[in-house]
Amino acid sequence: MKDEQTIENTEENTPQEDMVNEAAQAESTEAQEAAVNDTETAGAETLASTDELDRLKALAEENEKRYLRAQADFDNFRRRTQKEKEDLAKYASMKLITELVPVIDNFERAIATAPANTESDSFAKGVGMIFRQLESVLQAEGLTAMQTVGEAFNPEFHQAIMQVESDEHEEGVVVEEVQKGYMLKDKVLRPAMVKVSM
């Protein structure tokens, strides 16, 4: 029986069988080459997808930074507009009071130069009452007169119009007030015109 199997195996193939075997070998070789190509392509795709992933991560980080910057800008804008609104409400009467300050100066001058006779005494008294009423209304709005004489000169509050020699004051001290200065709440409405010792 062994001899028969050996004989069958040693028999030569027909040309058709040879063609089939060659085709099978070619397909096997092509399949191996395709497998190698697929592996190389998969490696290249992995590299490409890693690069793409890195690019997308960088883009996401950049977009997050932009978002955070825009959020911070919006918060700053909101705070700034809120402060502007508060300041507007706080200093709404500033323009009117600025225009009334010279009127106060004129009232003070009129009261200071009132003649001292009995005929005009009641008139001067009435003007004084009107002046005090105006002062109280303006003080209710936050207007206060600066106290300057004897204070150290401060360019934020004082406007020096001249320097004078003084034995009783140190250098840089306000000696005389020429025109009153006024504050509106915590802002300088008008600096005081002063003479400063040297």
Side-chain angles (χ1 to χ4, degrees):
M1 219 184 207
K2 247 180 174 179
D3 292 336
E4 289 178 10
Q5 286 178 354
T6 306
I7 292 172
E8 287 177 11
N9 285 341
T10 56
E11 287 181 11
E12 289 189 18
N13 291 334
T14 63
Q16 291 174 344
E17 290 175 338
D18 286 340
M19 284 175 48
V20 169
N21 287 338
E22 285 176 12
Q25 285 177 350
E27 284 180 14
S28 172
T29 305
E30 286 177 6
Q32 289 173 352
E33 288 175 359
V36 169
N37 286 340
D38 287 347
T39 305
E40 289 173 358
T41 304
E45 286 177 0
T46 303
L47 287 175
S49 65
T50 303
D51 290 344
E52 181 70 13
L53 183 62
D54 291 343
R55 187 183 69 77
L56 291 174
K57 281 182 181 178
L59 183 63
E61 287 176 11
E62 183 182 333
N63 286 336
E64 183 180 13
K65 287 178 184 176
R66 282 183 185 169
Y67 165 75
L68 292 174
R69 231 178 286 124
Q71 187 68 34
D73 287 345
F74 179 73
D75 288 344
N76 291 339
F77 170 75
R78 190 171 29 86
R79 270 189 244 113
R80 188 173 54 248
T81 54
Q82 181 66 29
K83 183 173 179 356
E84 287 172 359
K85 192 187 290 185
E86 289 171 0
D87 285 350
L88 181 64
K90 188 174 181 180
Y91 300 108
S93 58
M94 186 173 189
K95 185 174 185 230
L96 175 64
I97 292 174
T98 303
E99 292 176 8
L100 287 175
V101 165
V103 175
I104 294 172
D105 293 339
N106 290 334
F107 260 118
E108 287 176 341
R109 287 185 200 110
I111 292 170
T113 59
N117 60 31
T118 55
E119 293 175 10
S120 62
D121 194 31
S122 61
F123 178 74
K125 198 174 191 180
V127 171
M129 290 171 61
I130 294 169
F131 175 67
R132 283 192 298 280
Q133 183 182 13
L134 178 62
E135 267 189 326
S136 66
V137 168
L138 293 175
Q139 283 175 354
E141 283 295 315
L143 183 73
T144 54
M146 292 181 193
Q147 301 302 321
T148 57
V149 177
E151 298 286 322
F153 176 76
N154 184 344
E156 292 180 13
F157 301 107
H158 309 131
Q159 180 180 356
I161 58 169
M162 70 177 2
Q163 286 186 318
V164 294
E165 291 187 23
S166 174
D167 295 333
E168 58 188 72
H169 295 290
E170 296 177 12
E171 184 179 339
V173 175
V174 175
V175 177
E176 183 183 338
E177 182 179 68
V178 178
Q179 185 181 48
K180 274 189 178 179
Y182 289 95
M183 301 278 295
L184 181 61
K185 295 176 181 164
D186 56 353
K187 272 189 175 179
V188 175
L189 188 66
R190 181 177 78 184
M193 287 187 182
V194 295
K195 294 180 181 178
V196 183
S197 62
M198 45 182 226

